[in-house]
Amino acid sequence: MIELEDIGDLHDPVMIAAFEGWNDAGEAASSVLEHLADVWGAEVVAALDPEDYYDFQVNRPRVVVEGGNRRISWRTTRILVARDTSLGRDVIIVQGVEPSFRWRAFAVELMELAEAADVSMVVTLGALMADVAHTRPIPVTATSDNEDTRHRHGLEVSGYEGPTGIVGVVSDAATQVGIPSVSCWAAVPHYAGHSPSPKATLALVGRLEELFDAPIEHDELEDDARAWERGINELAESDSEVAEYVESLEEAQDTAELPEASGDAIAKEFERYLRRRGTDESGTSGPV
């Protein structure tokens, strides 16, 4: 870890992390961190040494000009601190690129920082391409392996099995050192997932507001989300196959989100069916 300045004491800090790359469809997750850093005035306090974790043929350094001077900017993962945020607590922002190698050491370094700063929760953000309609609210799934955290925030337990990215590794590393972790994933329409997706970014910001029960300034995100949706609408209007496909996705989502499609509603309806059947067959109702 390259320390750029002393972090100092933090007030009830949480860590929020996202990474460009495999975990970041439509740049939705990494854009959340850019937004948070901007609205909260976060300052860079440290960075991971890029020599340890990145293949520079994959993540090439860039030549930048500042004040008339040319220098090399190395792609890496930066640590920012936002103080006096709208959450009522300080936030450590982990903003970077999915590493090329040494993932376990990478996660250990981040958890050493989290433990030293007395972080109470690690929140990882991701986005994946999915069969969802751009005209509907972007689905965001929030999960945790910590039972108390699930009950406190109304989260789900993840049943996913399969390949994972650095987001999954960091979440697991937090669990291993005893820090509760929450993973939030936005589902980005796969037919519009290769361009920045501000609507998915806005959905993730909204999920953070729910998680911490506190407002986060949206700034221009809502305008950007509406402009993005209008652009995809124009694409669909110019291509009948795309329009037909979007319509099928809308119908599928609308059906899945109907109140009567929920597990509790289905169970109650089945109970009513059994009671009605008992009345029809015996002339008297069964136990209520």
Side-chain angles (χ1 to χ4, degrees), residues 9-15 82 85 87-92 117-121 212:
D9 294 331
L10 299 177
H11 171 59
D12 191 21
V14 295
M15 176 180 283
T85 71
L87 305 185
R89 62 205 304 179
D90 295 338
V91 177
I92 296 175
D118 200 21
V119 163
S120 58
M121 180 186 294
F212 294 109

Side-chain angles (χ1 to χ4, degrees), residues 12-67:
D12 191 21
V14 295
M15 176 180 283
I16 303 178
F19 303 90
E20 299 173 26
W22 193 78
N23 316 269
D24 193 28
E27 302 174 16
S30 58
S31 294
V32 172
L33 297 194
E34 293 177 8
H35 177 74
L36 297 181
D38 183 47
V39 299
W40 288 338
E43 298 181 350
V44 178
V45 297
L48 274 67
D49 190 339
E51 290 282 351
D52 292 337
Y53 304 111
Y54 293 97
D55 180 346
F56 297 133
Q57 289 184 321
V58 176
N59 296 286
R60 290 185 178 275
R62 298 176 61 87
V63 176
V64 296
V65 178
E66 296 179 347

Side-chain angles (χ1 to χ4, degrees), residues 32 149 182 212 223 280:
V32 172
T149 301
V182 175
F212 294 109
D223 290 339
D280 292 340

Side-chain angles (χ1 to χ4, degrees), residues 254-273:
D254 292 345
T255 301
E257 292 169 5
L258 287 173
E260 57 266 30
S262 72
D264 289 343
I266 291 172
K268 291 178 181 178
E269 181 61 33
F270 185 61
E271 291 172 0
R272 286 194 292 269
Y273 162 76

Side-chain angles (χ1 to χ4, degrees), residues 14-268:
V14 295
M15 176 180 283
I16 303 178
F19 303 90
E20 299 173 26
W22 193 78
N23 316 269
D24 193 28
E27 302 174 16
S30 58
S31 294
V32 172
L33 297 194
E34 293 177 8
H35 177 74
L36 297 181
D38 183 47
V39 299
W40 288 338
E43 298 181 350
V44 178
V45 297
L48 274 67
D49 190 339
E51 290 282 351
D52 292 337
Y53 304 111
Y54 293 97
D55 180 346
F56 297 133
Q57 289 184 321
V58 176
N59 296 286
R60 290 185 178 275
R62 298 176 61 87
V63 176
V64 296
V65 178
E66 296 179 347
N69 297 316
R70 293 163 58 86
R71 69 176 183 85
I72 299 294
S73 174
W74 299 90
R75 303 294 305 282
T76 188
T77 292
R78 304 183 306 162
I79 311 300
L80 300 86
V81 169
R83 303 176 188 274
D84 301 321
T85 71
S86 59
L87 305 185
R89 62 205 304 179
D90 295 338
V91 177
I92 296 175
I93 296 174
V94 180
Q95 181 182 38
V97 185
E98 185 173 66
S100 305
F101 29 68
R102 301 186 67 228
W103 284 21
R104 285 181 292 184
F106 180 92
V108 165
E109 241 190 298
L110 291 181
M111 290 308 105
E112 287 176 348
L113 170 66
E115 290 181 300
D118 200 21
V119 163
S120 58
M121 180 186 294
V122 173
V123 181
T124 56
L125 305 178
L128 71 160
M129 296 186 188
D131 292 329
V132 296
H134 72 282
T135 54
R136 297 296 185 262
I138 296 292
V140 177
T141 302
T143 63
S144 177
D145 290 333
N146 183 280
E147 185 175 359
D148 290 340
T149 301
R150 289 200 304 273
H151 289 318
R152 185 179 306 116
H153 299 286
L155 307 178
E156 304 173 23
V157 60
S158 176
Y160 173 76
E161 294 183 354
T164 188
I166 193 61
V167 164
V169 173
V170 170
S171 294
D172 180 71
T175 299
Q176 296 303 319
V177 298
I179 302 177
S181 68
V182 175
S183 182
C184 300
W185 282 80
V188 179
H190 70 85
Y191 56 89
H194 296 288
S195 61
S197 300
K199 188 172 181 178
T201 297
L202 181 61
L204 283 168
V205 170
R207 194 65 184 87
L208 290 177
E209 291 179 307
E210 294 175 4
L211 180 65
F212 294 109
D213 192 24
I216 298 174
E217 185 180 348
H218 291 179
D219 205 15
E220 298 177 355
L221 277 179
E222 293 179 358
D223 290 339
D224 292 343
R226 284 191 289 266
W228 174 84
E229 188 168 332
R230 286 195 301 270
I232 306 302
N233 284 340
E234 292 174 1
L235 170 65
E237 290 170 1
S238 65
D239 189 320
S240 60
E241 290 186 2
V242 172
E244 183 178 345
Y245 179 62
V246 171
E247 184 177 353
S248 69
L249 291 176
E250 291 172 338
E251 292 176 356
Q253 277 186 260
D254 292 345
T255 301
E257 292 169 5
L258 287 173
E260 57 266 30
S262 72
D264 289 343
I266 291 172
K268 291 178 181 178

